[in-house]
Amino acid sequence: MRNLRSVGASSERTGVPARRRLLVKKFGGSSVADVERIRRVAQISLESQRAGDDVVVVVSAMSGETDRLLSLAHKLAPLPDCRELDVMIATGEQVSVALTAMAIHAAGGHARSVLGHQVPVLTDSSFTKARVLWVEEGPLREALGHGQIPVVAGFQGVDASQNITTLGRGGSDTSAVALAAALGADVCEIYTDVDGVYTADPRVCPTGRKLRSIAYEDMIELASLGAKVLQVRSVEIAMKYDVSVHVRSSFTDEEGTWIVNRERALEGKVLTGLACARGQARVELVGVEQQPELVMALASLLAELNVSVDMLCHARGVQADTTTNIAFTIPEVDLLRARQRLDPLVASLKTGELRISEGLARVSLVGIGIRSDPSIPARLYRALTQEGIVVSGLVVTELRISCLVDEAVSDKAVCILHEAFGLGQTDVVGGPRLVARSGTAA
Amino acid sequence: MRNLRSVGASSERTGVPARRRLLVKKFGGSSVADVERIRRVAQISLESQRAGDDVVVVVSAMSGETDRLLSLAHKLAPLPDCRELDVMIATGEQVSVALTAMAIHAAGGHARSVLGHQVPVLTDSSFTKARVLWVEEGPLREALGHGQIPVVAGFQGVDASQNITTLGRGGSDTSAVALAAALGADVCEIYTDVDGVYTADPRVCPTGRKLRSIAYEDMIELASLGAKVLQVRSVEIAMKYDVSVHVRSSFTDEEGTWIVNRERALEGKVLTGLACARGQARVELVGVEQQPELVMALASLLAELNVSVDMLCHARGVQADTTTNIAFTIPEVDLLRARQRLDPLVASLKTGELRISEGLARVSLVGIGIRSDPSIPARLYRALTQEGIVVSGLVVTELRISCLVDEAVSDKAVCILHEAFGLGQTDVVGGPRLVARSGTAA
């Protein structure tokens, strides 16, 4: 049993290459979408094992399955019980692990499906959004010792009372990285339907360039800002335990993108990439009485709802010195739930009103150079407004700059910024060439 | 923890009616086939709880779901690994329990899904055909104590190594009865899409009559001979622990059929009903050398394959005194698997050949009067041959007489026998009127 909270970076991973490696291979929903693709997963896993490595496989639900189950639940109840939701949606991965293990058997290998509660992957009890607390390594080591390939159900865990939990959308990435950390794996390979991490989505911006490597911090920003390659939390765990993550395609043998610490990642770049999150809503509380507790009350209310809030800003109102404006951005899908709590709060205030704008997209530029180059916000603003794009919000942090634009022009905005900051060119940086300062990023 | 092997009939079940009853309600696949029907299950369960009873619900997979999953597995491998099959098909019930618990919540009640490994229902390790060893009652009692309705996944259990197991087709009945036995429930109610047990399938034989009650032994025969109302093993467990089973429709409030011990069941009848199993194959080993070990070898071979064999008979061959014929009946679905072992066995014999006839049906007449009335086989034979039906095999035991006929005429055979033995009439018996002799039947 290895406690994820206390185990540091493992020295096992720095051994000489000649020894037997341990690889955790995670396959997403599109990689197990049908029988043919599951056979491909079996083949990749067996080839790796036959080449002399120990292999642990983690799989997601077949693509579309989780949505099918969720719609079944929502037909029954608009707000289904979260504990029961987890019991239900965990079946998606359960089917995948069984089929994948069967496919490995059918190809002449030895495999054994392992469910979240069988590992076990212990989590807290936040149903539908649980956090991994620790991962037991015993049963997996035992299976590996017998020459088997353990096929572990991603996305699911179990709480201390034996309730089934799930880790939130994309949680299989987190499962894979947590297993890799617990086992001290050499690499956590994330097989997906894209071949790596790009400076910008190549479907949106044709000059988008695949990165050979990216630092954990930059990947965390990109993922939390809309890049759908990986779940944010998985990268946080990878960073914490220094797990080397390799994002690659399950359809080719090509190298993908390595997610590693900044020393190993830096290509001399200070700007890494662009991410775009559509379906955002801007919530503004305008002209409310200045109350120091209001922002706190708001923030804790939204935290309680487990709504992810971004670009919260707080500015003096225009009406008088005694009023203030508060604005923040939340995903449109969380708006209904948030308003159930916001509306009574606003109604209880003496002055002020709530303004909601929907149909927005958040376009973000990520890289270690953002803070150190004060010209970047101005260049971003100029590039977009020159092309007639209205920027309706801006926030700058250590590692990123995000702006809000209309959803209809968000693809155009991504392309403009990709060009303006020279992200398509391998050796161009978006600001003064900086020496990497590992560990200083937020 | 209550060991099913050692717990006898519970005296709790004979208490006065005024006390709080404990009801186990099992709903089959057609009763949870869609969102509307699941709401009906929630309603039935809540009404019962509100009337003052403790309720434990057991559900099957939504109808069609198990077949969908099996076909997925068979697309991947013709003989999928049994351990993984169980992991996969257990998800059908997992989805049902979650949805049912959600529906009870949505209707204002308190429910909690409980999976096989969460009860736990401990079984042996015969994947896809596991037997229940014991049922832990603690977690269910605790949920009941909190006013909750535990919604238990039928069909599934867990072995001593925490592997998921399933109990074979119709295994949810067994789950329900085993839970009822462990909890000392007053009644195990089996809700289904028919309204009880009939003397013959009313879709085949319009004069088929619903029985008010039936003895365990007769029900075991009917179920093992093709009546699809209940899984045989569930009735065996009910008999062993004296659990009163009530088979009824989930679409009406009408009384169904009670399955109880013979003292309470007897309506003065010695013939209870007819069952028909289609899809049977007759396997004949003709003209083999007389070897006393051969029948034993055959029987153990088939037992090893877990193939259910019926109507095994062994007769002297016609060719010479030194040869013999052996014939038996097995389900067509097991034929391929059985031949993988039979063919080498036959090839190793000096003389003899294997003859297979497919497309047969086994029609069986069940009742305590069979053995005591020697005229029954002759009357059965006459009734069928008079109508031009060829009887290609006959076996008589304590409680039943079975004959093999062509599948194409099996419905006709059922109707002929139903008429010939007067099963549609409430007060007519098929032979001398006997006093029930409880416990003497096989």
Side-chain angles (χ1 to χ4, degrees):
Chain A
M1 191 178 314
R2 195 183 278 245
N3 191 322
L4 282 192
R5 278 179 173 155
S6 61
V7 174
S10 165
S11 62
E12 297 163 37
R13 277 192 302 284
T14 57
V16 282
R19 83 184 161 78
R20 196 174 181 85
R21 293 185 308 167
L22 172 56
L23 308 180
V24 173
K25 291 174 182 286
K26 181 259 170 181
F27 296 89
S30 59
S31 304
V32 293
D34 56 40
V35 166
E36 273 321 304
R37 293 192 184 183
I38 292 172
R39 289 207 182 100
R40 169 94 182 126
V41 167
Q43 185 198 338
I44 291 174
S45 308
L46 278 170
E47 274 169 11
S48 195
Q49 192 194 39
R50 284 169 186 155
D53 293 320
D54 280 334
V55 177
V56 174
V57 170
V58 178
V59 293
S60 300
M62 298 168 87
S63 54
E65 182 63 8
T66 306
D67 287 330
R68 184 184 75 85
L69 292 167
L70 283 175
S71 79
L72 208 55
H74 287 112
K75 254 198 252 173
L76 203 58
L79 285 174
D81 183 79
C82 286
R83 178 186 184 273
E84 303 305 339
L85 258 186
D86 276 358
V87 170
M88 192 178 63
I89 56 179
T91 62
E93 278 70 20
Q94 190 165 333
V95 169
S96 296
V97 289
L99 289 173
T100 305
M102 286 176 199
I104 295 175
H105 283 137
H110 300 285
R112 186 181 184 79
S113 67
V114 189
L115 302 176
H117 73 268
Q118 290 173 327
V119 176
V121 173
L122 188 79
T123 72
D124 63 20
S125 300
S126 311
F127 296 116
T128 76
K129 289 184 180 178
R131 295 188 79 91
V132 177
L133 301 180
W134 57 260
V135 173
E136 166 86 35
E137 56 175 323
L140 300 179
R141 289 248 178 255
E142 198 188 315
L144 291 170
H146 288 112
Q148 291 176 328
I149 298 178
V151 182
V152 183
F155 181 61
Q156 57 180 243
V158 64
D159 73 5
S161 308
Q162 298 301 309
N163 296 304
I164 289 176
T165 56
T166 68
L167 311 182
R169 276 281 155 139
S172 291
D173 296 330
T174 300
S175 303
V177 174
L179 284 172
L183 293 166
D186 295 270
V187 187
C188 180
E189 298 184 291
I190 308 284
Y191 287 85
T192 174
D193 52 356
V194 296
D195 59 356
V197 181
Y198 278 74
T199 53
D201 186 339
R203 286 164 302 190
V204 166
C205 179
T207 54
R209 182 175 56 84
K210 186 170 86 183
L211 295 163
R212 261 182 302 152
S213 62
I214 180 172
Y216 295 124
E217 297 88 339
D218 295 352
M219 191 65 227
I220 288 169
E221 289 290 336
L222 277 179
S224 60
L225 295 170
K228 295 196 185 74
V229 187
L230 275 179
Q231 199 196 28
V232 178
R233 214 168 335 136
S234 68
V235 192
E236 290 170 353
I237 297 177
M239 180 163 84
K240 191 164 172 189
Y241 300 105
D242 200 22
V243 175
S244 294
V245 177
H246 185 193
V247 177
R248 58 192 302 186
S249 165
S250 51
F251 306 111
T252 73
D253 288 333
E254 266 175 49
E255 283 270 304
T257 300
W258 286 83
I259 307 173
V260 286
N261 64 37
R262 197 170 290 282
E263 285 89 342
R264 283 181 281 157
L266 201 76
E267 297 180 8
K269 303 282 290 180
V270 297
L271 292 179
T272 307
L274 284 159
C276 177
R278 301 165 71 98
Q280 302 295 310
R282 185 78 175 158
V283 179
E284 288 175 286
L285 258 166
V286 183
V288 298
E289 281 290 315
Q290 279 212 32
Q291 287 173 285
E293 302 84 10
L294 186 61
V295 179
M296 254 176 57
L298 251 178
S300 66
L301 183 159
L302 293 164
E304 215 178 288
L305 287 168
N306 223 335
V307 160
S308 74
V309 175
D310 188 49
M311 303 177 75
L312 182 78
C313 47
H314 180 203
R316 183 168 295 181
V318 286
Q319 295 171 342
D321 275 0
T322 57
T323 68
T324 184
N325 294 346
I326 299 166
F328 57 89
T329 306
I330 65 172
E332 280 172 0
V333 290
D334 290 329
L335 194 57
L336 187 69
R337 218 149 46 88
R339 289 201 62 168
Q340 287 176 341
R341 300 289 299 273
L342 274 173
D343 290 345
L345 182 72
V346 175
S348 74
L349 299 172
K350 284 181 204 143
T351 62
E353 60 172 305
L354 196 63
R355 288 186 199 154
I356 312 266
S357 331
E358 295 187 60
L360 297 172
R362 182 186 54 212
V363 176
S364 308
L365 179 63
V366 168
I368 198 176
I370 303 278
R371 250 284 160 83
S372 50
D373 183 352
S375 74
I376 289 177
R379 285 163 63 194
L380 176 140
Y381 211 84
R382 196 183 326 123
L384 292 176
T385 48
Q386 267 177 356
E387 300 282 343
I389 291 177
V390 178
V391 176
S392 58
L394 197 73
V395 72
V396 184
T397 71
E398 178 88 14
L399 277 176
R400 62 132 165 164
I401 176 167
S402 295
C403 59
L404 274 185
V405 299
D406 197 277
E407 240 178 20
V409 295
S410 63
D411 284 357
K412 190 177 161 195
V414 167
C415 291
I416 291 168
L417 296 178
H418 197 263
E419 181 63 27
F421 289 96
L423 290 166
Q425 295 148 50
T426 317
D427 54 351
V428 171
V429 294
R433 205 172 281 259
L434 290 179
V435 175
R437 293 164 306 151
S438 175
T440 58
Chain B
M1 193 178 312
R2 194 182 278 245
N3 192 321
L4 282 192
R5 279 179 172 153
S6 60
V7 175
S10 165
S11 63
E12 298 164 38
R13 278 191 302 283
T14 56
V16 280
R19 83 184 161 78
R20 196 174 181 84
R21 293 184 308 166
L22 173 55
L23 307 180
V24 172
K25 292 175 181 284
K26 181 259 171 181
F27 296 90
S30 59
S31 304
V32 293
D34 56 40
V35 166
E36 273 321 304
R37 293 192 184 182
I38 291 172
R39 288 207 182 100
R40 168 94 183 127
V41 167
Q43 185 198 336
I44 292 175
S45 309
L46 277 170
E47 274 169 12
S48 196
Q49 192 194 39
R50 285 169 187 155
D53 293 321
D54 281 334
V55 177
V56 174
V57 171
V58 178
V59 293
S60 300
M62 297 167 87
S63 54
E65 182 63 7
T66 307
D67 287 330
R68 185 184 75 86
L69 292 167
L70 283 175
S71 79
L72 208 55
H74 287 112
K75 256 198 249 172
L76 204 58
L79 284 174
D81 183 79
C82 286
R83 178 185 183 273
E84 303 304 339
L85 259 187
D86 276 358
V87 170
M88 192 178 63
I89 56 179
T91 62
E93 278 70 20
Q94 189 165 331
V95 169
S96 297
V97 288
L99 289 173
T100 305
M102 286 176 200
I104 294 175
H105 283 137
H110 299 286
R112 187 181 183 78
S113 67
V114 189
L115 302 176
H117 72 269
Q118 291 174 326
V119 176
V121 173
L122 188 80
T123 71
D124 62 21
S125 299
S126 310
F127 297 115
T128 75
K129 290 183 180 179
R131 296 187 78 91
V132 177
L133 301 180
W134 57 261
V135 174
E136 167 85 35
E137 55 175 323
L140 300 180
R141 290 248 179 255
E142 198 188 316
L144 290 171
H146 289 111
Q148 291 176 327
I149 299 178
V151 182
V152 183
F155 180 61
Q156 57 180 243
V158 64
D159 74 3
S161 308
Q162 297 301 309
N163 296 305
I164 289 176
T165 56
T166 68
L167 311 182
R169 275 283 154 138
S172 291
D173 297 329
T174 300
S175 303
V177 174
L179 284 172
L183 293 166
D186 296 87
V187 187
C188 180
E189 298 183 291
I190 307 284
Y191 287 86
T192 175
D193 53 356
V194 296
D195 59 356
V197 181
Y198 279 73
T199 53
D201 186 340
R203 286 164 303 188
V204 165
C205 179
T207 54
R209 182 174 57 83
K210 185 170 85 182
L211 295 163
R212 261 182 303 151
S213 62
I214 181 172
Y216 295 124
E217 298 88 338
D218 296 352
M219 191 65 227
I220 289 168
E221 289 291 336
L222 277 179
S224 60
L225 294 170
K228 295 196 186 74
V229 188
L230 275 179
Q231 200 197 27
V232 178
R233 215 168 333 136
S234 69
V235 193
E236 290 170 352
I237 297 177
M239 180 163 83
K240 192 164 170 187
Y241 299 105
D242 200 20
V243 175
S244 294
V245 177
H246 185 193
V247 176
R248 57 190 303 187
S249 165
S250 51
F251 306 111
T252 73
D253 288 333
E254 266 175 51
E255 283 270 305
T257 300
W258 286 83
I259 308 173
V260 286
N261 64 35
R262 196 170 294 281
E263 284 88 343
R264 282 182 281 157
L266 201 77
E267 299 178 9
K269 304 282 290 179
V270 296
L271 293 178
T272 306
L274 283 160
C276 177
R278 302 163 71 97
Q280 303 295 310
R282 186 79 174 157
V283 178
E284 288 175 286
L285 259 166
V286 183
V288 298
E289 281 289 314
Q290 280 213 29
Q291 286 172 285
E293 303 84 9
L294 187 60
V295 178
M296 254 175 58
L298 251 177
S300 65
L301 183 159
L302 293 163
E304 216 178 287
L305 288 168
N306 225 334
V307 160
S308 73
V309 176
D310 188 50
M311 303 177 77
L312 181 79
C313 46
H314 181 202
R316 184 169 294 183
V318 288
Q319 295 170 341
D321 274 0
T322 58
T323 69
T324 183
N325 294 347
I326 299 167
F328 57 87
T329 305
I330 66 172
E332 280 172 359
V333 290
D334 291 328
L335 195 57
L336 187 69
R337 219 150 46 89
R339 289 202 61 169
Q340 286 176 342
R341 301 288 299 273
L342 274 173
D343 290 345
L345 181 73
V346 174
S348 74
L349 299 172
K350 285 181 202 143
T351 63
E353 61 172 304
L354 196 63
R355 288 185 198 155
I356 313 267
S357 330
E358 296 188 59
L360 297 171
R362 183 187 53 213
V363 176
S364 308
L365 179 63
V366 168
I368 199 176
I370 303 277
R371 249 289 159 78
S372 51
D373 183 350
S375 74
I376 289 178
R379 285 164 62 196
L380 176 141
Y381 212 85
R382 197 182 326 121
L384 292 176
T385 48
Q386 268 177 355
E387 299 282 343
I389 291 178
V390 178
V391 176
S392 58
L394 198 74
V395 73
V396 184
T397 71
E398 179 89 12
L399 276 175
R400 61 131 166 167
I401 177 167
S402 295
C403 60
L404 273 185
V405 300
D406 198 276
E407 238 178 22
V409 295
S410 62
D411 284 357
K412 190 177 163 195
V414 168
C415 291
I416 291 168
L417 295 178
H418 197 263
E419 181 63 27
F421 289 97
L423 289 166
Q425 295 147 52
T426 316
D427 55 351
V428 170
V429 295
R433 206 172 281 257
L434 291 178
V435 175
R437 293 164 305 151
S438 176
T440 58

